[in-house]
Amino acid sequence: MSPGDFSLTEEPVLSRNALSRDENRRLDPAYVRDTWAEARVVVVDESGRTPVDWEVEPGREFREVDAAAWDDAAGRGGHVRTRAGTDVAAEPPAEAVLLGEREGVPYWAVRVGTERTADSDIFTGEGEWADLRAAGAFLDPLGSGLLTGAVATLNWHDRSRFCAIDGTRTRPHNAGWARVCDNGHEEYPRTDPAIICLVHDGADRVLLARQPVWPAGRYSVLAGFVESGESLEACVHREISEEVGIAVSDVRYLGSQAWPFPRSLMVGFHAIGDPEVPLTPQDGEIADALWITRDTLRAALARGDWGTRGEPDPTDGPVVMLPGKVSIARTMLESWAAAGG
């Protein structure tokens, strides 16, 4: 085992999925037709929101309640509210996506709020609408899998209405898991891989960085998109070097999580860097970067998401606010903090 080696202490929240995916069902017209009466449908608006029910009502808008407070109060108590298939349409709409099946119940997703939705009343009486960024960390495994899959595939459909080969219009195929153009060319949902890497010194310090658009004090680990013809590990070395000007070694895989904004897959790693090497933040990409101790990180984690449990005192050390639980970055940081003595 390498110095400072560790693993994730829990599954990233958007990786939880209680659905069974089966390509054979998507390709079976009889299954699609005959099971629609028992189907449940996730409705997603143009902002990526869906109705969510809560086991315990928050004391204020749940978007302002940090993950630690919710865990203390009621655990992950959010449930995506689905609609009966026959309430949405008499048969699967052309733009609907078959997400999967659980305990014999097929689950679909549809976009609402556009001309593609026949039933405008689908918006009414649905409780509070929330998106993945706000509610993803608090959903149960079924709801997490439903909304993550729905947002990812519907985003792809919205951006794939013309064929990349000949420019003709495309139409949905295979229960929403392909599109076919007028000349028969098929296209399938795209996923753009990105690496996200926790750099540490193999002992007691971790490297954090801040994007220029983030408020002062808000930090996370480093990340970047994989280039064509590049391996994941090569991307780790390149991105860290480009963004903060240091070399890393001993790159190790941690885990992955879908990030459908609009269609990314975050692939998590950790690697070792040298804190004695001066940091050189990339102009326009990184506002500043710093090394902090494990104790400082633990204190920042205890404050909750993005400082929602009170701002730290700058006299106690660096002002650090961390990403929320919906991000794999939070899981990585929590896991590294827990690995030390």
Side-chain angles (χ1 to χ4, degrees), residues 140-218:
D140 60 13
L142 176 60
S144 175
L146 288 173
L147 189 53
T148 304
V151 170
T153 51
L154 293 173
N155 282 346
W156 171 74
H157 278 285
D158 289 346
R159 290 164 172 77
S160 304
R161 302 198 172 278
F162 295 91
C163 180
I165 296 175
D166 58 32
T168 61
R169 282 193 173 274
T170 60
R171 62 185 184 279
H173 190 55
N174 293 353
W177 286 91
R179 294 186 73 90
V180 180
C181 77
D182 295 339
N183 294 316
H185 300 127
E186 290 187 331
E187 297 188 18
Y188 296 89
R190 281 269 311 276
T191 297
D192 298 331
I195 63 91
I196 182 165
C197 185
L198 184 149
V199 179
H200 57 100
D201 66 350
D204 195 48
R205 284 183 284 183
V206 65
L207 176 63
L208 300 177
R210 183 173 67 84
Q211 295 184 17
V213 296
W214 291 353
R218 175 174 170 175

Side-chain angles (χ1 to χ4, degrees), residues 292-314:
I292 64 171
T293 66
R294 202 182 306 264
D295 285 343
T296 300
L297 176 63
R298 287 170 175 165
L301 289 169
R303 283 191 292 270
D305 301 352
W306 304 120
T308 54
R309 299 186 75 153
E311 296 301 324
D313 183 351

Side-chain angles (χ1 to χ4, degrees), residues 4-274:
D5 201 11
F6 71 102
S7 59
L8 298 183
T9 56
E10 63 179 347
E11 189 176 20
V13 295
L14 296 190
S15 295
R16 299 170 296 132
N17 190 356
L19 283 175
S20 172
R21 296 191 182 195
D22 187 342
E23 184 180 21
N24 292 326
R25 297 188 187 115
R26 305 169 189 166
L27 302 177
D28 184 354
Y31 174 87
V32 171
R33 179 187 65 248
D34 297 342
T35 62
W36 181 247
E38 291 78 42
R40 303 298 302 181
V41 180
V42 181
V43 293
V44 181
D45 73 8
E46 293 174 306
S47 298
R49 302 176 305 163
T50 196
V52 175
D53 292 327
W54 301 99
E55 291 181 2
V56 177
E57 289 294 328
R60 59 188 187 277
E61 288 291 324
F62 73 87
R63 299 177 190 83
E64 301 174 1
V65 179
D66 64 276
W70 266 97
D71 286 348
D72 292 342
R76 292 180 175 130
H79 310 282
V80 169
R81 180 183 291 189
T82 59
R83 297 287 298 264
T86 52
D87 287 345
V88 176
E91 59 185 20
E95 297 284 342
V97 177
L98 177 59
L99 299 175
E101 185 179 282
R102 184 187 186 191
E103 299 177 350
V105 178
Y107 286 88
W108 292 72
V110 297
R111 181 79 78 189
V112 297
T114 73
E115 67 277 8
R116 299 190 298 277
T117 302
D119 182 8
S120 60
D121 292 337
I122 204 167
F123 274 108
T124 63
E126 291 291 355
E128 181 149 25
W129 288 65
D131 63 17
L132 268 177
R133 291 182 187 273
F138 313 114
L139 296 175
D140 60 13
L142 176 60
S144 175
L146 288 173
L147 189 53
T148 304
V151 170
T153 51
L154 293 173
N155 282 346
W156 171 74
H157 278 285
D158 289 346
R159 290 164 172 77
S160 304
R161 302 198 172 278
F162 295 91
C163 180
I165 296 175
D166 58 32
T168 61
R169 282 193 173 274
T170 60
R171 62 185 184 279
H173 190 55
N174 293 353
W177 286 91
R179 294 186 73 90
V180 180
C181 77
D182 295 339
N183 294 316
H185 300 127
E186 290 187 331
E187 297 188 18
Y188 296 89
R190 281 269 311 276
T191 297
D192 298 331
I195 63 91
I196 182 165
C197 185
L198 184 149
V199 179
H200 57 100
D201 66 350
D204 195 48
R205 284 183 284 183
V206 65
L207 176 63
L208 300 177
R210 183 173 67 84
Q211 295 184 17
V213 296
W214 291 353
R218 175 174 170 175
Y219 290 89
S220 187
V221 296
L222 295 162
F225 283 102
V226 181
E227 293 186 344
S228 298
E230 185 176 49
S231 71
L232 296 170
E233 293 81 0
C235 182
V236 170
H237 288 283
R238 176 183 57 79
E239 284 289 342
I240 303 304
S241 176
E242 288 178 354
E243 293 193 343
V244 293
I246 67 171
V248 295
S249 63
D250 204 20
V251 176
R252 300 293 183 95
Y253 174 73
L254 283 173
S256 64
Q257 174 176 274
W259 194 246
F261 305 112
R263 58 189 183 197
S264 297
L265 173 69
M266 305 303 297
V267 186
F269 293 88
H270 70 99
I272 293 179
D274 184 355

